[in-house]
Amino acid sequence: MSHHGSTEETEEHDLGLSHDLPRIMARRGLLGLLGGVGAAAALSACGSDDTTSSTSGSTTSGSSTSGGTTQGGPGTPPDGGGAIGGDTSLEVADGEIPEETAGPYPGDGSNGVNVLTESGVVRSDITTSFGDASGVAEGIATTVRLKVYDLNGDSVTPLAGAAIYLWHCDREGRYSLYDDEIVGENYLRGVQEADDEGNLTFTTIFPACYSGRWPHMHFEVYESLAKATSADNKLRTSQLALPEDVCNDVYATEGYEQSVSNLSQLSLESDGIFSDGYSLQMAKVTGSVEEGYTVSLNVPV
């Protein structure tokens, strides 16, 4: 298969602001102090075109559950759980998107298959499989809008030319490439390049809530499309959280039945990833079941 990040395609301007992304040793400025909505507002004031209002991100008061993945029933991911892919030694400054585990199903070469080297992975619509696969992920239509920033001291600059690899589970809580039922599919995975303002968009479906994890999406940030070919090159690995009220509305629809039960046993505080804080990872969501949803998140690195 052809490689989407060939050397010939790499131009100096593609590297842009991220060519020598500074390793910020400390950031104790406005963004870190405000957190969450305040941080998003501060970023918006610095040039974000994301003006959507935030929905409630309240937590459930369900029983405490393990943050690890489980197996053995509907709405649960396949075998092979474990925390891999997160660089615990990475220096993350205040206000930057937190570093998180990529989980056991990244498809980035760090745990088996590497979908990033396959022709067709650079796409906005990730609802269908590509290449030799033809599966389509069913679910509530969802648009994901991300805006990548470079934080340097108190400077907030759009990270033009950066790339993001986004992946998440399907309506049944399964991950393509890994779950036995869809091991031959590669849907709900894709790479996009940020424009000059750091914006990029994916078309997808709303993910399930599987046992043991709060509803979420995974993503990795790369400095360019040419670099987005292996986990070894990533700048940051993180996850976005989805607000409870929206999840409840989605999971009341056909096909998401198992997610209702799974979510009732979770809270953000009991989740193994978001329990240490999620203000910078809680996405803003607008829309409806009938018209589809738009999920928005600022991604400062």
Side-chain angles (χ1 to χ4, degrees), residues 56-203:
S56 168
S58 60
T59 61
T60 25
S61 56
S63 59
S64 177
T65 0
S66 168
T69 55
T70 58
Q71 58 195 20
T76 61
D79 295 348
I84 66 166
D87 183 1
T88 56
S89 65
L90 182 67
E91 185 74 27
V92 178
D94 288 348
E96 292 184 2
I97 198 77
E99 175 75 7
E100 304 286 11
T101 176
Y105 320 111
D108 60 4
S110 64
N111 188 27
V113 63
N114 185 1
V115 75
L116 297 177
T117 61
E118 298 185 15
S119 177
V121 73
V122 180
R123 66 220 183 105
S124 179
D125 188 342
I126 62 174
T127 56
T128 61
S129 290
F130 60 92
D132 296 331
S134 58
V136 179
E138 301 294 333
I140 299 299
T142 301
T143 298
V144 179
R145 296 174 58 222
L146 304 176
K147 191 173 181 74
V148 193
Y149 291 89
D150 176 16
L151 293 190
N152 186 0
D154 290 326
S155 175
V156 182
T157 311
L159 200 52
I164 284 186
Y165 167 42
L166 180 80
W167 75 98
H168 61 82
C169 72
D170 65 10
R171 185 177 61 181
E172 289 74 30
R174 309 169 302 185
Y175 284 87
S176 65
L177 302 176
Y178 293 90
D179 188 285
D180 289 344
E181 295 178 352
I182 54 172
V183 68
E185 303 294 346
N186 51 30
Y187 58 51
L188 306 183
R189 299 177 184 274
V191 176
Q192 277 287 280
E193 181 181 28
D195 64 16
D196 289 344
E197 298 303 317
N199 297 307
L200 49 88
T201 302
F202 293 93
T203 300

